[in-house]
Structures are given as structure tokens and as C-alpha cells.
Amino acid sequence: MNENIGFKTVPFGGFDKGQVIDYIEKLRNDFHRERESMLAEQEELRKQIAALEERLEGKEPVKRVFDPEQAALLSGITSKENAVSEINAAAERLKNIGDEVCQSIKELLETNGKVREQETDENA
């Protein structure tokens, strides 16, 4: 509304009253038209917000849309995560087996030591 308005002046000073009133009416009409447009847009935005809030509340599930490349990457990541989990589980099983083997070796060495002591006692 940065218009440069040049009102017609009248012979005794001031401006033409009819021209000023017409201009004010035009401004008033423009204001009301713009206001109605903004109110309609505001109402539409409120409806959109309400619809989004419903989706957030779980009334309508939100679907993620991936393009094929993203889906392939996600699948690859999931596969690698599963492989890492399997490797970690296998490593834990191997550690447990190693612990059992170490314990068995200790027991065998102790038994071997006792057998040697008995053989030494019997030979003496």
C-alpha cells in the first residue's frame, strides 16, 4: 500500500472530499477482501494441523516412503547389523568353549601331576 496518492485540491484549500472518501472506501474494501482471504487460509491451516495431530496420535499410521536405493541401503544395514550380532554371539560361544578347554587342560595337568607323584612314590 505504498501508493503515492495525489488528491485533487479544492479552490479554498484542502482536498476534494469525494475523492478522499472514495479512496478510504477502496482501502476499506481491499482490507476486508484481504482479511477474508487470510481468515480462509488460516482455517485451512487449522484443518491441516488437526489432521497432522490425528496422525501423530496414532489414529492414522504414518508411512515412510523410501526410494528403491534407500530401501536397499536400509536392507544392507539391517543385514550387516544381523551379521555383526551373529558374529558377536559366535565369539561369545568360542570364548566359553575356550574357557572350558582351559579348565579341562588344568584338570588334566593336575591329574597328570598326581599320577606322576604316585608313580614316583611306588618306585621309591
Side-chain angles (χ1 to χ4, degrees):
M1 293 258 180
N2 207 1
E3 299 174 18
N4 190 5
I5 306 301
F7 293 115
K8 182 173 127 184
T9 57
V10 290
F12 298 107
F15 298 101
D16 182 359
K17 183 178 178 182
Q19 206 178 24
V20 171
I21 290 174
D22 290 344
Y23 178 72
I24 291 173
E25 273 300 308
K26 178 187 174 300
L27 287 177
R28 185 175 145 278
N29 290 338
D30 290 346
F31 168 78
H32 286 293
R33 188 174 34 257
E34 188 68 27
R35 182 176 179 270
E36 290 302 316
S37 172
M38 288 182 171
L39 288 174
E41 183 180 357
Q42 183 182 33
E43 185 59 32
E44 180 60 32
L45 291 172
R46 283 190 176 141
K47 288 177 184 177
Q48 289 176 6
I49 289 170
L52 290 171
E53 285 174 344
E54 278 186 23
R55 288 174 69 185
L56 284 175
E57 290 172 3
K59 293 181 181 174
E60 179 183 329
V62 178
K63 296 178 182 176
R64 284 194 171 207
V65 179
F66 294 110
D67 64 30
E69 186 177 324
Q70 288 174 323
L73 288 173
L74 184 60
S75 175
I77 290 170
T78 303
S79 297
K80 287 178 183 175
E81 288 173 346
N82 290 340
V84 167
S85 295
E86 289 176 19
I87 290 169
N88 287 337
E92 185 64 30
R93 287 192 302 271
L94 285 174
K95 180 188 173 296
N96 291 339
I97 291 170
D99 290 344
E100 290 174 11
V101 168
C102 286
Q103 184 62 35
S104 296
I105 291 172
K106 280 183 183 178
E107 291 172 3
L108 284 172
L109 289 173
E110 287 175 7
T111 305
N112 190 20
K114 289 179 185 177
V115 168
R116 284 189 180 168
E117 284 178 13
Q118 287 177 353
E119 287 176 351
T120 306
D121 288 344
E122 289 175 2
N123 289 337

